[in-house]
Amino acid sequence: MSPHPTLPPPRTPGRYSVALVCLGNICRSPMADVVLTARVEEAGLAGRVAVVSSGTGDWHVGNPMDARAAATLTAAGYDPSLHRARHWSTAWLEEHDLVLAMDGSNLAGVGGAGERVRLFRDFDPVEPGGEVPDPYYGGDDGFEEVLTMVERTCTVIVGALQEELLQEPDES
Ligand code: 4NP
């Protein structure tokens, strides 16, 4: 596996909480949420890893995913139907072990990088440190591009979670 950043330690040993953040919470972070949740389940970590997402803007709160994002996920075998958009809260900085922003603007929107706050694509094995481009105002190709980078990045994040949680047996 490509080298990737180490995960900050969990606040509760044996558990891990990841928050994904974009602007509207109807395209990028919901797609990453659905893919990461599926990968976590496949890895047998569903009871130990929580995945949530939100947007720094509140325009779409309570709405389902953008139809194009949902169609892209469905075509790839994922279930987008449970998503409802949520608004970012600074309280999330204290509640989650790792906050991953989709682009630099989203990172600024949550207060900037820190030990527990990073760009999602810091874990991208192909182009680490890049941004997930906002597909909202573009065509369907943009959603395919987002899914491709989200899938490979989620694979690395789940590998890192497995490493972390194998070191910390579930104590509950
Ligand atoms: P997202 O995309 O941040 O990936 O969910 C957007 C969705 C909606 C808007 C902007 C970006 N908007 O301006 O409504």
Side-chain angles (χ1 to χ4, degrees):
M1 193 194 292
S2 304
H4 54 74
T6 53
L7 293 176
R11 298 173 195 270
T12 303
R15 305 267 160 170
Y16 214 91
S17 177
V18 181
L20 304 160
V21 185
C22 63
L23 178 58
N25 194 221
I26 54 170
C27 299
R28 291 165 293 173
S29 66
M31 292 177 76
D33 187 340
V34 165
V35 171
L36 187 58
T37 298
R39 293 275 199 278
V40 161
E41 288 172 4
E42 285 163 19
L45 294 175
R48 301 174 67 176
V49 176
V51 181
V52 294
S53 67
S54 70
T56 58
D58 65 1
W59 316 284
H60 302 285
V61 166
N63 291 346
M65 209 179 294
D66 179 282
R68 299 160 297 173
T72 303
L73 286 171
T74 300
Y78 300 95
D79 177 8
S81 68
L82 298 179
H83 179 74
R84 295 294 178 273
R86 302 174 72 183
H87 191 205
W88 164 260
S89 160
T90 51
W92 286 34
L93 292 170
E94 308 301 324
E95 293 168 7
H96 300 286
D97 296 308
L98 181 62
V99 175
L100 295 175
M102 294 293 128
D103 67 24
S105 169
N106 309 145
L107 187 64
V110 300
E115 192 210 352
R116 294 187 182 276
V117 184
R118 294 191 185 138
L119 281 175
F120 176 77
R121 288 186 67 199
D122 283 357
F123 292 88
D124 185 341
V126 177
E127 283 180 69
E131 300 188 308
V132 181
D134 186 347
Y136 186 66
Y137 293 106
D140 291 346
D141 286 1
F143 290 85
E144 291 292 341
E145 185 190 7
V146 168
L147 181 60
T148 299
M149 52 182 65
V150 159
E151 284 188 312
R152 70 188 185 221
T153 300
C154 286
T155 298
V156 173
I157 293 171
V158 168
L161 287 167
Q162 281 177 312
E163 285 171 29
E164 174 63 45
L165 294 172
L166 283 176
Q167 293 168 22
E168 296 274 3
D170 189 350
E171 289 171 359
S172 66

